Amino acid sequence: MNMYHAETIDVAVIGGGHAGCEAALAAARLGMRTVLFAISLDSIAMMPCNPSIGGSSKGHLVREVDALGGEMGKVIDKTYIQTKMLNTGKGPAVYSLRAQADKQAYQSEMKHRLENTPNLKIKQAEIVDIRMENGRVSGVVTAAGAVYDCKAAVLCMGTYMKARCLTGEHITESGPNNLMPAMKLSARLREMGIDLFRFKTGTPARMNKNSLDLEKMQPQYGDENIVPFSFSHTAEDIAKPQVLCWLTYTNEKTHQIIRDNLDRSPMFGGVIEGTGPRYCPSIEDKVVRFADKERHQLFVEPEGENTEEMYIQGMSSSLPEDVQIAMYRTIPGLEHCEITRFAYAIEYDCIDATQLKLSLEFKDIPGLFSAGQFNGSSGYEEAAAQGLIGGINAAHFVQGKEPLVLQRSDGYIGVLIDDIVNKGTREPYRMMTSRAEFRLLLRQDNADQRLTPIGYRIGLISQERYDALLEKERLVAAEIDRVQHVTMGPSAPVLALLEKYGTAPIKNGARLSDLLKRPQLSYEALAEIDPERPDLPQDVQEQVNIQIKYAGYIDQQLKQVEQFKKLEGRLLPMELDYETIQGLRLEARQKLNLVRPENLGQASRITGVSPADISVLLIYMEQMKRKH
Ligand SMILES: Cc1cc2nc3c(=O)[nH]c(=O)nc-3n(C[C@H](O)[C@H](O)[C@H](O)COP(=O)(O)OP(=O)(O)OC[C@H]3O[C@@H](n4cnc5c(N)ncnc54)[C@H](O)[C@@H]3O)c2cc1C
Ligand SMILES: NC(=O)c1ccc[n+]([C@@H]2O[C@H](COP(=O)([O-])OP(=O)(O)OC[C@H]3O[C@@H](n4cnc5c(N)ncnc54)[C@H](O)[C@@H]3O)[C@@H](O)[C@H]2O)c1
């Protein structure tokens, strides 16, 4: 192969999926000469599965990406076709925003933004080699022989590495959506000492809407009160008419067809080697694992405004085409469905993220970063979150700056990276609110207050946006102060309001803030007895309500965070050999040497390291401090 020198750049981003897009934008915006490579530019920001962004806990990730200066939230605000706040029957910690996307519009909007970003170029090319010089990354090479010298690279290859797609007995070497896979880079990564293994995932069929009987399904409406993903948008900025989704169910006939054909499913016939996601199982998995369930719900969702293709959420499969036709046609509304794209499973090479530091840099390969589904995660939002951090830290590496590491108490992004780096994952990792121990603080509504100051400090948030946040915080503080100082007497309108909301009358005066804490009342409900109330934006009112109502829980959790930070502040030297520390159990020594945690908090979360081992480490560190 003839090689030629194409260009000298700072950061190479390999992959144009949700991780690659955020990584490339962040690096370029931080002043790095950046090139994003994708085997096909048509894969940029592609959603190979669900045409939606957000959802439970994933909505938190999108808002955090936005708060730090990422792009996903802005792009979905522009291209959504239905939006909904999920879980509003529960507490605000688990409210999660979810938006149906116009898939193609999302891709072209993101691609257009990449094209117009200074310092950033996008190139259609397969990367087959990573060059090293003096023990650090020095370049990347395309299949056609173009050499790009670079100082750092971010791996964002998603599900394309040695990818195989399976529909029953029909198996093709292909990336998602019949795009070309990356067949060469895996071998080079192994040569560099990187361990790879196989994961799998799947997607349901798409069908032509004209062949569906929508009358037989229940319509699902979007919210009237729209909440944007991006903190830089207001509801008015993004308001538009919304499309309908539809709800239907599988039944015993569907399940019987699946059971009768399990031996033809590669997932069950042993043809697939990879491990699949436990939390988004295929329909075969659901029918086997939840055998007593009589039906499973399916959302029928449009793929966009300019297409009749519909996505059948909840019914991913790797069964053969003839079985798919029979099984989908048992479902009310789908009896005459015309499948445009059959369901398939895909398996691919990925890494165990314990090979990475919390900055997402490989522990033993300076300048090489890794983000997205290639790190063993699943989900567009998980990918975007890691991409953003990988891109920021690749830029910081080139600039000789400290890496940005978010802690578990800073956000779901911190939880996600800490989980995969410390514990690794034996199945595609999916974010869930239950994984965040400080979730009362890490709400989707306050992601800007938690992370925008960090985005501003590192240079991804403009002065204007930062000033707007400071103004919002000032208004919230002033209003909380006012509400705490307004006293209500037992006047007729006050008593009438309390009765209307089914809460006990007051005998003497009560502070407005105390009334607000009652479960039946809210800041909004108290408006009619609060004539002095200033006219405040919706997001300010929401903060006043939450911060007063849940003040007790929030204070308690802040104390837990203080404790947590003490352990996180105790740094462990990377070169420490745990074999030499007396008193550590064998398993702890092995795991600590493998993970090489950066601090005591991180050490305490490694599976196989017990509280007793942490005490041993604490004593050891005290002894070391006294010696020096
Ligand atoms: C069939 C299927 C079903 C899925 N189901 C869902 C779902 O329902 N919801 C969900 O959130 N997630 C789902 N996922 C996962 C989701 O697609 C990923 O989590 C997300 O897209 C990962 O983003 P990424 O940026 O890490 O990688 P990807 O989106 O996979 O992007 C990888 C990029 O890397 C490029 N690339 C790869 N190798 C090279 C190379 N050597 N040189 C140059 N470029 C290269 C590709 O061209 C592509 O641009 C599914 C994935 C698939 C394939
Ligand atoms: N391996 C993978 O990479 C892979 C594969 C499949 C799914 N996933 C992940 O799973 C997620 C999808 O999984 P999910 O099935 O839990 O769905 P989801 O998170 O999008 O939705 C969960 C809940 O949201 C509500 N909902 C969903 N769609 C709705 C609609 N159209 N209208 C009204 N309410 C709706 C319902 O209550 C539903 O049960 C994706 O976001 C993705 O991250 C990953």
Side-chain angles (χ1 to χ4, degrees):
M1 167 67 64
N2 277 335
M3 302 276 186
Y4 74 99
H5 178 260
E7 218 174 310
T8 299
I9 57 173
D10 296 310
V11 176
V13 174
I14 309 170
H18 304 283
C21 290
E22 296 292 350
L25 284 168
R29 285 169 177 163
L30 294 178
M32 297 294 96
R33 289 165 302 168
T34 305
V35 175
L36 175 152
F37 300 91
I39 303 175
S40 163
L41 290 189
D42 293 338
S43 68
I44 285 186
M46 189 176 81
M47 300 180 199
C49 197
N50 206 331
S52 82
I53 296 286
S56 185
S57 78
K58 292 160 181 279
H60 291 64
L61 284 172
V62 182
R63 295 208 110 200
E64 290 184 1
V65 165
D66 180 74
L68 275 173
E71 211 60 19
M72 183 174 245
K74 289 186 178 146
V75 177
I76 184 62
D77 280 351
K78 184 112 193 252
T79 58
Y80 80 94
I81 53 179
Q82 188 195 83
T83 175
K84 211 166 189 166
M85 187 67 84
L86 302 178
N87 300 335
T88 47
K90 304 178 189 164
V94 296
Y95 286 12
S96 287
L97 196 53
R98 178 183 190 279
Q100 213 59 53
D102 183 315
K103 215 177 224 186
Q104 280 203 342
Y106 184 95
Q107 280 192 261
S108 30
E109 180 66 31
M110 183 64 91
K111 179 160 167 278
H112 205 186
R113 285 172 190 235
L114 299 175
E115 287 162 347
N116 284 325
T117 299
N119 299 325
L120 178 56
K121 294 179 185 174
I122 56 177
K123 302 269 174 197
Q124 179 160 291
E126 179 187 351
I127 298 298
V128 293
D129 190 11
I130 300 198
R131 290 195 166 174
M132 303 282 296
E133 229 174 79
N134 302 324
R136 43 194 286 171
V137 169
S138 65
V140 297
V141 183
T142 70
V147 180
Y148 289 79
D149 291 327
C150 66
K151 297 175 185 136
V154 193
L155 305 180
C156 303
M157 287 89 64
T159 55
Y160 288 69
M161 297 281 277
K162 290 217 152 170
R164 290 201 307 165
C165 289
L166 306 94
T167 304
E169 302 86 7
H170 177 60
I171 300 173
T172 47
E173 282 188 343
S174 162
N177 228 0
N178 272 356
L179 287 167
M180 255 176 36
M183 299 307 284
K184 299 207 173 115
L185 192 55
S186 291
R188 171 64 184 134
L189 295 181
R190 284 210 169 89
E191 226 174 72
M192 291 167 73
I194 296 172
D195 283 335
L196 298 178
F197 59 111
R198 301 285 279 171
F199 271 178
K200 69 160 193 228
T201 185
T203 193
R206 317 301 197 265
M207 313 178 166
N208 189 319
K209 185 178 171 187
N210 297 324
S211 66
L212 307 186
D213 192 348
L214 300 174
E215 299 276 299
K216 293 196 180 158
M217 308 187 235
Q218 298 159 25
Q220 304 289 307
Y221 300 92
D223 282 346
E224 262 174 45
N225 291 330
I226 296 171
V227 179
F229 269 106
S230 176
F231 289 98
S232 60
H233 294 152
T234 64
E236 296 74 48
D237 292 338
I238 67 159
K240 61 165 113 155
Q242 300 187 43
V243 303
L244 287 183
C245 294
W246 305 87
L247 179 61
T248 185
Y249 295 90
T250 61
N251 54 54
E252 187 41 43
K253 258 196 202 156
T254 330
H255 300 179
Q256 193 54 47
I257 292 178
I258 293 167
R259 280 194 292 268
D260 289 347
N261 287 283
L262 275 181
D263 60 325
R264 296 183 67 199
S265 160
M267 301 211 191
F268 284 84
V271 180
I272 287 189
E273 308 152 30
T275 314
R278 186 176 353 166
Y279 302 105
C280 346
S282 66
I283 192 68
E284 295 96 288
D285 264 332
K286 287 192 218 175
V287 167
V288 171
R289 278 177 23 205
F290 312 107
D292 51 335
K293 264 194 115 176
E294 283 167 15
R295 60 180 203 173
H296 295 281
Q297 67 176 21
L298 304 175
F299 287 97
V300 179
E301 306 169 340
E303 294 250 309
E305 279 182 309
N306 296 312
T307 172
E308 298 307 313
E309 278 191 288
M310 303 291 275
Y311 171 93
I312 313 299
Q313 188 200 316
M315 207 156 165
S316 80
S317 175
S318 66
L319 283 162
E321 291 188 2
D322 54 319
V323 182
Q324 288 191 31
I325 295 170
M327 113 188 152
Y328 283 118
R329 287 191 176 167
T330 59
I331 291 163
L334 310 190
E335 293 89 344
H336 305 289
C337 69
E338 278 306 325
I339 296 179
T340 50
R341 301 174 206 230
F342 283 94
Y344 63 91
I346 183 167
E347 62 172 0
Y348 52 93
D349 282 351
C350 60
I351 62 160
D352 178 346
T354 56
Q355 297 170 86
L356 305 175
K357 300 181 195 171
L358 291 169
S359 62
L360 297 181
E361 185 182 17
F362 279 88
K363 283 174 181 157
D364 297 317
I365 311 176
L368 189 64
F369 294 79
S370 187
Q373 187 125 350
F374 184 62
N375 282 353
S377 62
S378 113
Y380 312 140
E381 307 78 0
E382 288 84 344
Q386 293 171 61
L388 177 61
I389 301 297
I392 292 170
N393 284 334
H396 280 197
F397 173 85
V398 174
Q399 293 163 334
K401 289 186 183 162
E402 280 293 305
L404 174 68
V405 173
L406 295 182
Q407 299 206 340
R408 298 181 75 86
S409 53
D410 292 327
Y412 277 72
I413 301 180
V415 174
L416 160 69
I417 295 176
D418 187 68
D419 275 352
I420 59 172
V421 165
N422 270 327
K423 299 195 180 104
T425 176
R426 303 206 182 291
E427 62 197 14
Y429 177 98
R430 179 186 176 143
M431 189 33 92
M432 292 182 291
T433 49
S434 58
R435 297 194 195 270
E437 60 274 48
F438 304 122
R439 64 180 163 278
L440 292 180
L441 301 178
L442 308 185
R443 303 182 311 274
Q444 54 88 32
D445 62 80
N446 69 358
D448 56 341
Q449 294 164 63
R450 293 184 278 117
L451 298 176
T452 295
I454 298 176
Y456 173 68
R457 178 168 54 76
I458 60 176
L460 286 179
I461 292 284
S462 67
Q463 185 68 44
E464 188 190 356
R465 192 162 160 189
Y466 182 59
D467 289 344
L469 170 70
L470 295 182
E471 176 60 8
K472 173 178 166 183
E473 288 181 332
R474 190 190 66 75
L475 289 173
V476 172
E479 181 59 357
I480 290 178
D481 186 63
R482 186 190 72 82
V483 172
Q484 284 171 335
H485 289 91
V486 173
T487 306
M488 295 283 148
S491 64
V494 170
L495 292 174
L497 179 120
L498 297 179
E499 195 184 344
K500 179 167 117 189
Y501 284 95
T503 173
I506 50 172
K507 294 202 178 76
N508 307 309
R511 285 190 310 175
L512 202 54
S513 52
D514 288 330
L515 290 179
L516 203 163
K517 284 183 185 161
R518 294 187 177 188
Q520 303 87 345
L521 296 173
S522 63
Y523 181 75
E524 194 186 349
L526 292 167
E528 52 189 279
I529 56 166
D530 185 17
E532 303 297 314
R533 178 174 295 194
D535 188 17
L536 292 168
Q538 188 54 39
D539 57 342
V540 172
Q541 296 188 36
E542 184 185 23
Q543 285 310 306
V544 173
N545 186 51
I546 292 174
Q547 289 187 31
I548 294 181
K549 215 170 186 45
Y550 301 97
Y553 298 105
I554 291 173
D555 284 348
Q556 211 178 354
Q557 195 133 85
L558 283 169
K559 287 197 188 106
Q560 290 165 355
V561 168
E562 257 173 54
Q563 285 301 324
F564 161 84
K565 285 202 164 154
K566 277 189 194 150
L567 279 186
E568 301 299 297
R570 306 288 298 263
L571 301 184
L572 291 164
M574 281 291 261
E575 62 283 358
L576 188 59
D577 182 1
Y578 293 91
E579 287 294 346
T580 62
I581 301 179
Q582 298 289 325
L584 281 181
R585 288 168 323 112
L586 181 63
E587 187 190 3
R589 281 182 202 175
Q590 288 171 342
K591 287 281 175 59
L592 286 162
N593 265 346
L594 187 76
V595 177
R596 281 178 276 154
E598 289 166 38
N599 58 57
L600 215 52
Q602 194 191 346
S604 71
R605 292 187 294 279
I606 299 171
T607 323
V609 176
S610 70
D613 296 317
I614 295 300
S615 307
V616 172
L617 281 180
L618 265 170
I619 295 166
Y620 175 83
M621 286 164 76
E622 281 305 316
Q623 287 169 343
M624 286 299 105
K625 212 158 94 188
R626 264 185 248 132
K627 266 195 198 163
H628 295 112

